[in-house]
Amino acid sequence: MPRFLLVHGAWHGSWCMERLADALRVRGHRAEALDLPGRTDVETEASLQGDRDHVADRVLAAGEPAIVVGHSLAGLILPMLAKPCGTRLAGLVYLCAYRPRPGESATSIETGFGGAVMKPYFQRAHDGAAIALSPGAASLLFHDLSDDLAQNAFARLTPQPKRLFLDPATYDESDVEGVPQLYCLCRDDRVISAARQRAMASAHPAIETIEIACGHSPFLSQPEALSRTLSDWSEQAFAKESRR
């Protein structure tokens, strides 16, 4: 049975994935929620490559294969994992996430769609090296959570290094050939719309798509249902991985 590595998106941390990790453990999986180094390296060396290397190290740290789940911005590093991780990578799951073409960044993807929905809520932080969020962003990130849960989650958000929105995803499409890939499309997402998610997923025919009725934060709004989706799909992905 593959283990899961859960990778948070922009402004978040491993804390946001703990409910999902617990739900996966109940289903018999090993699950680990990661903190990306770029989350805190605002004034030093935050980079997409550094985040990729951190996740790759965790994939390779244990004997059994891993499925990596990347939320939102973390989708950029997922295809970059295939080459360094090899057969230890059992699958990639894009959770309402960016799925880049080689050389694309979060900013270039959003520009192609007409601009980031979140941009009106961006606030300058760390002398311009990072982007914080104004309180109105909670209505996009957490609209389908209870008020208490949404307020608690927003209070834990931290400024995001600006460079991570600009760094390109460096990989070749041939790197991910044969790696099972799933796109979990969140139909009620107000951050990355369903139309934008669908366009990214459909641009890559090898990616299977499952649609979920939820907003941008299903790991908080419905962790049990999401864990079931991931667990069921992992059985299929693990079977493919064992034949590689």
Side-chain angles (χ1 to χ4, degrees), residues 93-153:
V93 178
Y94 302 84
L95 180 59
C96 51
Y98 295 116
R99 202 316 185 170
R101 296 181 176 91
E104 286 187 324
S105 67
T107 298
S108 68
I109 292 172
E110 289 288 11
T111 299
F113 286 129
V117 175
M118 295 281 283
K119 191 171 182 179
Y121 303 101
F122 286 0
Q123 294 184 329
R124 179 184 170 93
H126 294 279
D127 294 325
I131 298 171
L133 294 175
S134 64
S139 65
L140 303 183
L141 290 165
F142 309 127
H143 70 91
D144 55 346
L145 274 60
S146 69
D147 289 346
D148 286 347
L149 189 56
Q151 290 170 9
N152 180 65

Side-chain angles (χ1 to χ4, degrees), residues 6-76:
L6 310 176
V7 187
H8 64 83
W11 301 289
H12 291 65
S14 61
W15 57 267
C16 73
M17 293 290 188
E18 288 299 344
R19 297 179 71 189
L20 176 58
D22 287 344
L24 286 166
R25 292 176 191 127
V26 169
R27 294 181 179 278
H29 296 276
R30 287 185 61 192
E32 179 183 359
L34 304 183
D35 269 318
L36 294 176
R39 174 174 175 260
T40 54
D41 293 344
V42 175
E43 298 174 354
T44 53
E45 299 180 2
S47 69
L48 205 61
Q49 186 72 36
D51 282 353
R52 190 287 304 263
D53 292 346
H54 179 74
V55 177
D57 287 346
R58 297 307 305 154
V59 172
L60 299 171
E64 73 269 39
I67 291 175
V68 182
V69 180
H71 174 242
S72 199
L73 185 67
L76 290 173

Side-chain angles (χ1 to χ4, degrees), residues 115-231:
V117 175
M118 295 281 283
K119 191 171 182 179
Y121 303 101
F122 286 0
Q123 294 184 329
R124 179 184 170 93
H126 294 279
D127 294 325
I131 298 171
L133 294 175
S134 64
S139 65
L140 303 183
L141 290 165
F142 309 127
H143 70 91
D144 55 346
L145 274 60
S146 69
D147 289 346
D148 286 347
L149 189 56
Q151 290 170 9
N152 180 65
F154 186 82
R156 300 186 72 172
L157 301 182
T158 56
Q160 179 73 21
K162 187 176 181 179
R163 177 176 171 178
L164 297 177
F165 295 103
L166 301 172
D167 278 359
T170 54
Y171 75 101
D172 293 322
E173 285 291 356
S174 60
D175 296 341
V176 294
E177 288 180 3
V179 179
Q181 298 179 77
L182 174 68
Y183 199 102
C184 286
L185 189 156
C186 299
R187 288 198 297 265
D188 302 323
D189 197 328
R190 296 181 179 178
V191 176
I192 304 176
S193 71
R196 294 184 179 191
Q197 294 177 63
R198 197 170 287 114
M200 288 186 285
S202 64
H204 305 275
I207 299 179
E208 179 182 354
T209 300
I210 294 176
E211 297 197 10
I212 311 170
C214 62
H216 194 63
S217 306
F219 39 81
L220 295 175
S221 63
Q222 42 182 286
E224 290 79 14
L226 180 57
S227 73
R228 181 171 61 251
T229 296
L230 295 176
S231 183

